Amino acid sequence: MAKSSKKAMALAAVATVEIAGEDDARDVGKAVADVAPAAPQAQAADSATVSENGAVLFIPLNKLKKSPKNARKTPHSEAHVEALAASIAVKGMLQNLVVEPETKDGEPTGFYFVTIGEGRRLAHLLLAKRRQMKKTQALRCVLDTANDPAEISLDENVTREALSIPDQVERFRELAENRGWGAEEIAARFGVTAHVVRQRLRLGAVSPKLMQVYRDGGLTLDQLIAFAITEDHGRQEAVYDNLSYNREPSQIRRDLTKMNVAATDRRAIFVGAEAYTEAGGTIIRDLFTEDRGGYFEDAALLDRLVIEKLDRIAAEVRETEGWKWTSMHIDYPHAHGMRRAYPHPVELSQHDTAALEATQAEYDRLTAEYDGVDELPEDVDAKFAALEAEIERIETKQHAYEPNEIAQRGVFIVLGHDGEARIERGFIRPADEAPDMPENSDGKAVIDGVCVNSDGEVIEDGDQGAHSDASETGDEDDVGKPLSDALVRDLTAYRTLGLRLALGEQPDIALIAVVHALATQTFYRGADVSCLEIRLNSVHLASHADGIEDTAPAKALAERHAGWAADMPVNLRDLWGFVAALDRASLMALLAHCASLTVNAVRLPCEREAEVRDTTEQLATALALDMTAHWTPAKRTYFGRITKAHILAAVKEAAGEETAGRIAGMKKVEMAQAAEQLIAATDWLPPLLRTERPAS
């Protein structure tokens, strides 16, 4: 048989068509529906027909091979082949393969090399592997014997252009609106994930004006995506018109959402997404980035729901505990100016004492039994938790408020920075107490060392009447008449001098006097009864660092303060005796606590004196302060608030130049997150938080 006849029999051609080549990597489907139902059994055409360049052949899948001349040496990704297979399964192969016959020693072997369409061939093999088609299924191919296979393989992969993002957005939206297809159905038909489809549909929410700016090259894709966080076209366009030199996507998102509330905000956590949406609120979701729950659009509604929930908690506290009043606040009212009482030690009943001892003994027994065990059995772990809860319940009974305090005082119900309600008890309003106004020996009120009358007016020396010595009045028999103010000041000035001299010679008593003066101001708000003119001032750090009150160090400080406050006598007149009776260690501990509350090392834009900063450093060094125990550099607390250059410098210092180089090309948000993870295992701190080691 002639060579041309053998070749003709090997090529089962049925038609000749003219085709236009396209890329096999396009995102539309390829074909099961358009292939022949089985390998055609028609007789082979004569050699003149079947060998003609451009002839359409139906070739069984198992007769197709990858061309050794294929320009693509990097294999198709699994995701790409999956996408092609999904599209082919739904719509069939929309673009035929281009093939050339395989020959051996100049004779056709009956197999064909796929010059164009290797991805579609792999997709069909995947479908056959899943038994969605037979390996003998015939695929529509076009014979190309005129062109160099390597050249046309390169050509079809290079001379192509993917469908633009705006065009994809419009086409997906048309399918959703005109055919009623959801994201899952569209995804199944085009071999992409439903999430990708949702992203494209969400881009349809971008203002047509901004979409045209993107088409014209005025916006990058990342910037366009940032605008899609909201569907408010007016808001999008206003933000675009006001963009400054900083056009980072993160800045665009911040500008678009600054009137909204992040789902990570304490108010959103406290109320919850379900309660908010049930009340008619809308949550904006960012489908393109990790939005941590989105943004609550109606801030006013969210605040109202917070107050309503706090009010319900307050009503429960009033009903169960009996306080005179409760006051709800989203932020703690630091300027309330009220005195506060703390629970006092209370002796446990015999029943509670016995229960506490028994529970503690059982806890100690289990602790000894399972000492050294790496992982506790589930039932034992639960037993430990129950015992700890019972111990805590009984121990809380060891401190309580007096009934008269509860009847006169009130409670602040405040939203904490962790999204939980804080209940602060024991405050007394000025109207509910009658503050004693100190008087002088003449019965006149004294304010800041100045005598005043009942109307609060300053009494001048000439108005006091009895400012001269009794001998000058000639009324020597009136021994009950008080001394003149001038003489009283004169005598007490000498007494003050004597006290100063004596106190300076008795350090132990001086220590008691100083601690007493500090304690009166620390635990008896508004009290100024000490003759030592020592003024204590304590800055509220929450006004400088949002959320600092809910950190572990702040809670430890609050617990220490509450512990001392519970020990303070109810009557301020008893405080001197309390302080004087303390042992040396307790006295020093109370002094240290009171002094600690006066520390202020906060740096403000209006810089404090350099000498103050020097003292701060000296104190930190003397204390051997280690801030790694109290603060951790994170994206939220540090890296997200500094420049990329500062981030890279920190990583370089903490983890090395090579590590810093690996994140140098990242965007700001990703770089901040990566820095947090890279530095987490180190003891790195910003220079402002470092403590110099004391000189050896």
Side-chain angles (χ1 to χ4, degrees):
M1 182 179 293
K3 182 184 299 184
S4 61
S5 297
K6 291 181 180 180
K7 183 175 182 180
M9 294 179 67
L11 305 176
V14 296
T16 300
V17 297
E18 181 179 347
I19 80 163
E22 294 184 13
D23 170 45
D24 72 308
R26 54 202 293 269
D27 285 336
V28 294
K30 315 319 180 205
V32 165
D34 284 346
V35 299
Q41 300 300 316
Q43 289 184 341
D46 60 54
S47 60
T49 301
V50 298
S51 61
E52 181 179 347
N53 182 60
V56 174
L57 313 175
F58 284 87
I59 305 172
L61 174 60
N62 58 2
K63 295 294 184 181
L64 296 174
K65 294 182 177 181
K66 178 180 179 179
S67 173
K69 299 179 181 178
N70 193 306
R72 185 188 295 273
K73 300 305 179 184
T74 302
H76 290 275
S77 68
E78 292 183 6
H80 178 62
V81 175
E82 284 278 4
L84 292 176
S87 179
I88 291 170
V90 175
K91 295 180 288 293
M93 187 171 68
L94 303 180
Q95 179 185 352
N96 43 241
L97 308 178
V98 176
V99 299
E100 66 165 334
E102 180 189 51
T103 60
K104 187 174 182 180
D105 299 329
E107 297 293 328
T109 63
F111 289 87
Y112 293 81
F113 289 125
V114 177
T115 307
I116 295 177
E118 173 62 15
R120 298 192 291 281
R121 184 185 75 88
L122 294 174
H124 281 93
L125 289 174
L126 181 60
L127 292 171
K129 181 180 179 180
R130 293 173 176 172
R131 300 185 182 279
Q132 293 180 253
M133 63 176 291
K134 296 180 179 180
K135 290 184 178 180
T136 57
Q137 189 79 28
L139 307 183
R140 187 176 68 246
C141 306
V142 172
L143 183 68
D144 189 318
T145 57
N147 294 300
D148 176 18
E151 182 181 348
I152 62 174
S153 175
L154 176 63
D155 197 337
E156 70 103 17
N157 280 286
V158 173
T159 56
R160 65 185 181 87
E161 185 174 1
L163 194 65
S164 71
I165 294 295
D167 290 342
Q168 291 181 42
V169 169
E170 291 183 11
R171 300 294 82 77
F172 279 157
R173 186 175 59 192
E174 288 173 359
L175 292 175
E177 293 176 355
N178 299 338
R179 302 194 185 185
W181 291 347
E184 286 75 13
E185 186 170 1
I186 295 175
R189 299 182 69 87
F190 289 91
V192 295
T193 65
H195 183 65
V196 169
V197 176
R198 292 191 188 96
Q199 287 182 335
R200 294 293 183 264
L201 293 175
R202 185 54 183 263
L203 277 176
V206 174
S207 160
K209 173 185 174 181
L210 299 185
M211 190 66 78
Q212 187 58 49
V213 172
Y214 170 74
R215 289 180 186 272
D216 296 340
L219 285 172
T220 67
L221 178 58
D222 286 341
Q223 291 168 335
L224 184 72
I225 286 172
F227 280 104
I229 196 170
T230 178
E231 297 181 10
D232 186 339
H233 289 180
R235 179 75 182 143
Q236 293 172 357
E237 293 171 8
V239 169
Y240 173 75
D241 292 338
N242 288 285
L243 283 178
S244 61
Y245 67 91
N246 184 359
R247 293 183 166 228
E248 287 289 327
S250 58
Q251 182 61 48
I252 294 173
R253 289 189 179 90
R254 279 195 293 271
D255 289 345
L256 286 168
T257 59
K258 64 184 178 183
M259 303 301 293
N260 308 130
V261 180
T264 54
D265 185 273
R266 58 196 172 107
R267 293 169 292 171
I269 295 172
F270 183 62
V271 172
E274 184 176 352
Y276 170 76
T277 53
E278 286 180 356
T282 302
I283 298 178
I284 301 173
R285 299 304 307 266
D286 189 346
L287 298 180
F288 300 91
T289 63
E290 176 57 49
D291 65 0
R292 299 183 181 179
Y295 299 85
F296 288 47
E297 193 171 25
D298 194 336
L301 171 63
L302 184 60
D303 286 347
R304 177 171 65 81
L305 294 175
V306 169
I307 293 297
E308 289 176 356
K309 188 171 181 179
L310 289 174
D311 187 55
R312 291 193 295 271
I313 296 173
E316 182 179 352
V317 170
R318 284 196 306 271
E319 181 179 350
T320 58
E321 300 182 22
W323 295 95
K324 182 176 183 178
W325 55 266
T326 55
S327 182
M328 292 72 64
H329 301 270
I330 293 179
D331 297 306
Y332 187 83
H334 289 288
H336 56 72
M338 302 182 201
R339 290 196 300 115
R340 182 179 188 179
Y342 287 87
H344 309 293
V346 175
E347 188 174 348
L348 291 176
S349 66
Q350 291 183 350
H351 174 75
D352 285 336
T353 301
L356 179 60
E357 291 175 353
T359 306
Q360 186 65 55
E362 177 62 12
Y363 184 88
D364 294 341
R365 185 190 67 79
L366 281 178
T367 301
E369 181 179 347
Y370 289 93
D371 184 32
V373 176
D374 292 335
E375 186 173 354
L376 293 174
E378 188 173 337
D379 59 330
V380 176
D381 191 39
K383 180 67 172 177
F384 267 114
L387 290 171
E388 289 170 354
E390 179 64 9
I391 291 172
E392 182 178 357
R393 184 190 69 81
I394 299 175
E395 286 182 340
T396 56
K397 294 183 177 183
Q398 293 179 317
H399 292 83
Y401 287 94
E402 298 291 342
N404 64 317
E405 290 178 324
I406 294 177
Q408 289 183 330
R409 298 175 183 267
V411 179
F412 286 120
I413 312 294
V414 184
L415 177 59
H417 287 273
D418 56 357
E420 299 289 337
R422 285 172 50 196
I423 303 177
E424 303 288 345
R425 300 172 173 86
F427 296 92
I428 184 167
R429 290 170 170 168
D432 293 332
E433 63 178 345
D436 295 330
M437 185 175 289
E439 298 178 346
N440 66 2
S441 59
D442 230 0
K444 301 182 180 65
V446 179
I447 299 179
D448 291 336
V450 179
C451 295
V452 297
N453 61 20
S454 59
D455 294 327
E457 298 173 343
V458 176
I459 300 175
E460 301 294 341
D461 280 354
D463 298 329
Q464 295 173 12
H467 66 280
S468 59
D469 293 340
S471 60
E472 296 176 356
T473 66
D475 199 3
E476 298 179 0
D477 295 332
D478 192 3
V479 295
K481 187 175 182 179
L483 300 176
S484 69
D485 290 336
L487 179 57
V488 168
R489 289 200 301 271
D490 188 33
L491 294 177
T492 53
Y494 277 96
R495 190 164 192 253
T496 299
L497 179 61
L499 286 170
R500 289 180 178 179
L501 183 61
L503 191 63
E505 295 171 347
Q506 300 183 56
D508 288 345
I509 302 302
L511 176 61
I512 292 174
V514 170
V515 173
H516 174 266
L518 295 177
T520 59
Q521 299 172 65
T522 301
F523 300 102
Y524 302 86
R525 179 166 294 186
D528 188 13
V529 299
S530 175
C531 61
L532 272 64
E533 291 188 331
I534 297 174
R535 295 292 177 263
L536 182 151
N537 185 44
S538 183
V539 174
H540 295 297
L541 297 179
S543 62
H544 298 293
D546 188 39
I548 194 173
E549 291 176 315
D550 292 313
T551 62
K555 291 179 179 178
L557 179 59
E559 289 176 3
R560 187 177 74 193
H561 184 80
W564 276 113
D567 292 338
M568 293 294 124
V570 176
N571 194 327
L572 181 57
R573 294 181 181 274
D574 299 328
L575 180 61
W576 179 275
F578 169 80
V579 174
L582 291 174
D583 58 65
R584 180 79 176 185
S586 298
L587 186 65
M588 297 302 291
L590 179 56
L591 171 63
H593 174 69
C594 294
S596 72
L597 299 181
T598 70
V599 174
N600 182 9
V602 177
R603 291 194 188 179
L604 300 176
C606 46
E607 281 288 343
R608 302 175 69 187
E609 295 295 331
E611 290 77 7
V612 175
R613 296 199 301 271
D614 291 343
T615 303
T616 300
E617 299 306 320
Q618 292 166 355
L619 177 60
T621 300
L623 294 170
L625 177 66
D626 181 7
M627 283 300 298
T628 60
H630 311 303
W631 186 89
T632 302
K635 176 184 175 183
R636 183 185 65 82
T637 60
Y638 187 70
F639 295 117
R641 302 170 64 181
I642 60 177
T643 65
K644 292 175 65 174
H646 281 109
I647 295 175
L648 290 174
V651 174
K652 180 180 178 181
E653 184 180 15
E657 187 170 355
E658 182 180 349
T659 303
R662 292 203 300 267
I663 67 171
M666 293 183 177
K667 296 179 181 178
K668 169 70 179 295
V669 175
E670 290 76 11
M671 182 185 289
Q673 186 64 50
E676 175 180 340
Q677 297 171 354
L678 291 170
I679 294 182
T682 72
D683 290 333
W684 184 88
L685 288 171
L688 275 173
L689 297 184
R690 298 174 188 175
T691 300
E692 293 185 8
R693 294 183 178 180
S696 55

